[in-house]
Amino acid sequence: MGRSQNLPPLMAASVALDAWEEIEPLQRSAWLGPLLAAALLRSRGKTRHHLTALHSGFRQAKYRRFGRDDLETRLIAFACAIEAMAKADSKELDRLTLARELLLRKCKGRGTNSRMPQLVELCLASPVVTVPLAAKELRVSQCRSRKMLNRENRL
């Protein structure tokens, strides 16, 4: 970590991941390397509220690591994985934004007391929304939240 302190954040994350893969401190836990690099990016201020999804970028990148590759090739591959991840995440963000707009548009004709817009926001903010969670967050009964969730599924 000391040597990479003066490097730009992406380069430091790339070097950290490469060192992790070269040293292999935990042979059966190779998945921890990209998480380490993502945590380093977060600590350097590149992300604020989440870890970057480096695994998705590596799955989409054409490069596969071989022991005989030189450092330059491995660092370029990391940059390509970052680019692939950014493109995929941008498409996913566009998809979620469009879904949000469509659902909110369908909520427009509802009464002023309707909690449907809040339910839409909750569904987009949380990967799993259960009836008790929706009831708690929207401050309605569980029966009401069940009805709202069933209605949202039909939208």
Side-chain angles (χ1 to χ4, degrees), residues 85-99:
M85 177 210 59
K87 285 180 182 177
D89 288 352
S90 177
K91 286 180 185 176
E92 182 67 11
L93 183 61
D94 290 345
R95 187 186 70 81
L96 289 172
T97 302
L98 179 63

Side-chain angles (χ1 to χ4, degrees), residues 1-2 23 29 31-32 35 40 44 76 83 87 93 98 101 103 107-108 121 130 134 141 145 151:
M1 181 74 177
I23 296 169
S29 299
W31 55 272
L32 284 173
L35 286 178
L40 194 143
R44 294 278 192 96
I76 290 171
E83 180 184 22
K87 285 180 182 177
L93 183 61
L98 179 63
E101 288 174 8
L103 287 171
C107 294
K108 285 269 190 206
E121 296 295 336
T130 61
S141 69
S145 69
R151 186 177 304 144

Side-chain angles (χ1 to χ4, degrees), residues 34-151:
L35 286 178
L36 171 74
L40 194 143
L41 287 172
R42 184 175 181 195
S43 72
R44 294 278 192 96
K46 284 297 168 189
T47 59
R48 287 163 76 190
H49 304 293
H50 66 284
L51 294 177
T52 54
L54 294 177
H55 289 287
S56 67
F58 286 120
R59 278 195 304 268
Q60 294 175 6
K62 294 179 172 103
Y63 174 79
R64 296 295 175 254
R65 182 180 170 85
F66 298 109
R68 62 186 177 274
D69 291 336
D70 62 342
L71 178 63
E72 182 182 351
T73 303
R74 295 189 308 259
L75 295 179
I76 290 171
F78 180 83
C80 291
I82 291 285
E83 180 184 22
M85 177 210 59
K87 285 180 182 177
D89 288 352
S90 177
K91 286 180 185 176
E92 182 67 11
L93 183 61
D94 290 345
R95 187 186 70 81
L96 289 172
T97 302
L98 179 63
R100 177 182 178 272
E101 288 174 8
L102 290 174
L103 287 171
L104 288 176
R105 193 177 303 156
K106 290 189 177 197
C107 294
K108 285 269 190 206
R110 308 233 181 250
T112 57
N113 294 340
S114 176
R115 307 264 185 178
M116 286 301 282
Q118 295 158 334
L119 180 62
V120 168
E121 296 295 336
L122 177 64
C123 289
L124 290 173
S126 179
V128 176
V129 177
T130 61
V131 170
L133 174 69
K136 179 182 172 190
E137 292 293 320
L138 301 175
R139 294 186 211 108
V140 295
S141 69
Q142 287 195 9
C143 181
R144 180 75 182 130
S145 69
R146 184 177 293 112
K147 287 179 184 177
M148 290 172 65
L149 286 168
N150 285 337
R151 186 177 304 144

